[in-house]
Amino acid sequence: MEFFKGIEKIKYEGKNAKTPFAFRYYNPDEVVAGKTMREHLRFAMSYWHTMCAEGADMFGVGTIDKSYGAADPMEQAKNKAYAAFELMDKLDIDYFCFHDRDIAPEGQTLAETNARLDEITALLKDLMKRYNKKLLWGTANCFGNKRYMHGAGTAPNADAFAFAAAQIKKAVEITTALGGEGYVFWGGREGYETLLNTDMGLEQDNMARLMRMTVDYARSIGFKGDFYIEPKPKEPTKHQYDFDTATVLAFLRKYGLDNDFKMNIEANHATLAAHTFQHELRVARINDAFGSIDANQGDMLLGWDTDQFPTNVYETTLCMYEVIKAGGFTKGGLNFDAKTRRGSNTPEDIFLAYIAGMDAFALGLRMAYKIINDGRIDNFVQERYASYTNGIGKKIVDGSVTMAELEQYALAMGDVTTNISGRQEYLENVMNEIMFGF
Ligand code: XLS
Ligand code: NI
Ligand code: NI
């Protein structure tokens, strides 16, 4: 059965393409700086938004039909899987990401739920082979069911913790069975609404216990992928513990988990934390914790996670600049954790949205290399810190100078007379020239 009738395979046709159903900038097999664009970008489809979400919001029901011609929940899950691979095939997307509950609906009991997961996992495995697709990462939805109303790993109720552990155990098993290259912890309800009822210390200790158990169990069954934490400052809880990359790094180091986890940075979560997307990527990079990306964008006028498809090329350029500087993706990739607007409610819109996102990142990749090859920005930064490469600066960096010696130096110097301009406006203009000049 064909689910997206009338939509052909999307191909690269260049900027003079006649149809909107074509890539203008994403040319998967074109080599850019020694790697194909496909290898650089490692695009992934998010199962939850693309295959499941129907466009419902707080004020209205869904506008997009995702029943895939079936009423029975398991029948629907199977059709959803077929549709998912048809979509990835038509969009030439190599990877996908899922939560356990995206691929199979919960049953009456945990045992029944797990049996359903096994059935769909077997189907996914077949489809992956048939279409040559891979699993970028798996995760567990430990936030949707009402049993997690107070959290999962950070629940005040030990029974909820135990249930979450059981669910994560299974999610790790199916991720491993499908050869997943990663496993994500996003702290869905791992946070608090008010400190008046919250033992923050115990909650965070418990979260660390759950993560340690997960890593140890996953390795014991042969999981070879990377583990990620996906920071987010708020929503659904008022305060999420995994607020931003810096907060997560402190948490990981406190509990000795820093060698086991990297970051999965989501653009919209960065801006919710009052950081730029580039800031979060930079913090991850300089701490050797860069892992993967949830590619989307928020709306600067809205204070929530709008998960829009990324089309802002300035942002994708600075993102790819950081990715390149981090050495590129290893096991991570660009997962479109993004959904079409409620009013963009046809199957065509989903294709057009992915095309827009993939083209925006293809442009970003090309622009990032232009910036690096141009050299003016990197050279400016290098020059700006040149005083640390010789004289007193070199001694500071080498750790070979004392406070007393610095005092002697300052006394002899009189005052600082060597400050030079930061040239922000000039550098912003250089960016514009590189990106839009011709
Ligand atoms: C929600 C998160 C979620 C994670 C996976 O805000 O982005 O979708 O990516 O659980
Ligand atoms: Ni996400
Ligand atoms: Ni999001």
Side-chain angles (χ1 to χ4, degrees):
M1 180 140 90
E2 193 181 5
F3 292 93
F4 303 100
K5 285 207 186 76
I7 300 175
E8 305 295 318
K9 280 196 188 196
I10 310 300
K11 302 227 166 60
Y12 171 72
E13 293 182 17
K15 61 184 180 195
N16 296 322
K18 295 278 181 306
T19 164
F21 292 91
F23 298 120
R24 281 162 171 72
Y25 308 104
Y26 180 53
N27 187 9
D29 300 314
E30 181 182 331
V31 175
V32 175
K35 276 201 291 190
T36 62
M37 295 185 91
R38 184 192 296 286
E39 288 163 341
H40 275 291
L41 297 165
R42 293 169 60 90
F43 288 131
M45 177 204 73
S46 65
Y47 218 94
W48 54 103
H49 283 311
T50 305
M51 306 318 300
C52 308
E54 300 192 310
D57 68 11
M58 307 265 261
F59 302 95
V61 297
T63 56
I64 313 173
D65 180 12
K66 300 222 176 134
S67 58
Y68 303 102
D72 172 72
M74 275 306 275
E75 215 45 52
Q76 217 173 74
K78 287 176 198 163
N79 284 357
K80 195 179 286 186
Y82 291 120
F85 282 79
E86 181 188 326
L87 183 135
M88 284 187 272
D89 184 48
K90 288 184 169 174
L91 279 166
D92 204 354
I93 292 178
D94 295 324
Y95 293 88
F96 64 107
C97 301
F98 66 73
H99 303 83
D100 48 2
R101 302 302 177 246
D102 305 334
I103 59 168
E106 276 201 73
Q108 294 300 311
T109 63
L110 183 60
E112 188 193 350
T113 301
N114 287 349
R116 288 175 163 193
L117 275 172
D118 286 335
E119 196 180 337
I120 300 293
T121 300
L123 173 61
L124 293 180
K125 204 169 183 171
D126 280 353
L127 289 167
M128 285 167 73
K129 202 182 273 167
R130 187 182 325 158
Y131 286 94
N132 189 25
K133 301 295 172 198
K134 287 168 273 186
L135 177 61
L136 192 70
W137 50 260
T139 186
N141 177 333
C142 293
F143 45 87
N145 191 287
K146 70 180 190 302
R147 74 176 71 89
Y148 299 125
M149 63 190 270
H150 302 303
T154 64
N157 173 359
D159 285 350
F161 182 104
F163 206 100
Q167 192 180 327
I168 292 170
K169 175 175 177 288
K170 186 71 188 173
V172 161
E173 288 164 4
I174 62 176
T175 300
T176 306
L178 294 173
E181 297 187 25
Y183 186 88
V184 164
F185 277 84
W186 168 62
R189 291 184 195 275
E190 315 293 20
Y192 63 82
E193 295 298 328
T194 171
L195 288 176
L196 294 174
N197 67 13
T198 301
D199 183 342
M200 187 194 273
L202 178 64
E203 290 199 0
Q204 295 203 4
D205 290 351
N206 282 344
M207 193 65 222
R209 290 181 178 112
L210 182 58
M211 290 169 64
R212 168 52 55 211
M213 280 192 262
T214 303
V215 171
D216 291 347
Y217 178 69
R219 295 303 181 215
S220 81
I221 61 165
F223 175 67
K224 298 269 186 306
D226 282 343
F227 285 98
Y228 307 113
I229 295 192
E230 182 180 324
K232 186 176 185 182
K234 55 188 166 188
E235 197 198 27
T237 64
K238 154 187 158 149
H239 183 100
Q240 303 265 130
Y241 291 133
D242 296 335
F243 197 92
D244 61 1
T245 303
T247 309
V248 169
L249 285 170
F251 170 88
L252 292 173
R253 287 169 186 161
K254 173 175 178 183
Y255 295 102
L257 290 161
D258 43 320
N259 290 325
D260 298 296
F261 284 86
K262 296 178 184 171
M263 299 298 143
N264 181 37
I265 307 286
E266 179 167 321
N268 203 164
H269 297 180
T271 51
L272 285 179
H275 299 308
T276 62
F277 185 21
Q278 188 186 12
H279 168 98
E280 285 293 87
L281 293 164
R282 180 71 62 92
V283 176
R285 163 157 86 85
I286 64 172
N287 285 284
D288 294 324
F290 170 70
S292 201
I293 289 177
D294 271 7
N296 62 15
Q297 70 187 28
D299 185 313
M300 284 305 178
L301 301 183
L302 302 177
W304 61 91
D305 197 15
T306 58
D307 286 343
Q308 286 160 238
F309 272 87
T311 53
N312 182 329
V313 176
Y314 211 89
E315 294 293 317
T316 59
T317 298
L318 293 173
C319 168
M320 290 314 297
Y321 175 86
E322 295 298 326
V323 173
I324 294 165
K325 293 280 178 180
F329 289 114
T330 47
K331 293 184 177 177
L334 287 164
N335 166 46
F336 287 103
D337 192 350
K339 60 187 179 209
T340 57
R341 298 307 83 195
R342 187 167 183 269
S344 303
N345 66 337
T346 69
E348 286 77 14
D349 286 302
I350 294 176
F351 279 81
L352 294 170
Y354 269 96
I355 291 168
M358 293 163 80
D359 266 346
F361 267 95
L363 278 169
L365 174 70
R366 294 178 193 273
M367 296 295 171
Y369 272 112
K370 274 179 92 173
I371 290 167
I372 291 168
N373 293 335
D374 175 272
R376 273 176 289 173
I377 290 178
D378 284 344
N379 289 342
F380 188 91
V381 174
Q382 212 182 344
E383 217 15 63
R384 192 162 184 239
Y385 296 88
S387 65
Y388 288 96
T389 57
N390 54 56
I392 196 73
K394 179 143 193 336
K395 285 189 179 165
I396 293 169
V397 170
D398 291 346
S400 65
V401 70
T402 64
M403 291 286 275
E405 284 162 357
L406 289 168
E407 184 188 40
Q408 284 308 313
Y409 182 89
L411 286 168
M413 174 170 60
D415 203 352
V416 178
T417 55
T418 49
N419 268 331
I420 53 167
S421 168
R423 295 267 191 270
Q424 178 170 338
E425 300 77 5
Y426 159 73
L427 294 168
E428 286 166 352
N429 202 27
V430 167
M431 279 284 291
N432 283 349
E433 182 201 323
I434 295 171
M435 292 180 63
F436 308 109
F438 46 85

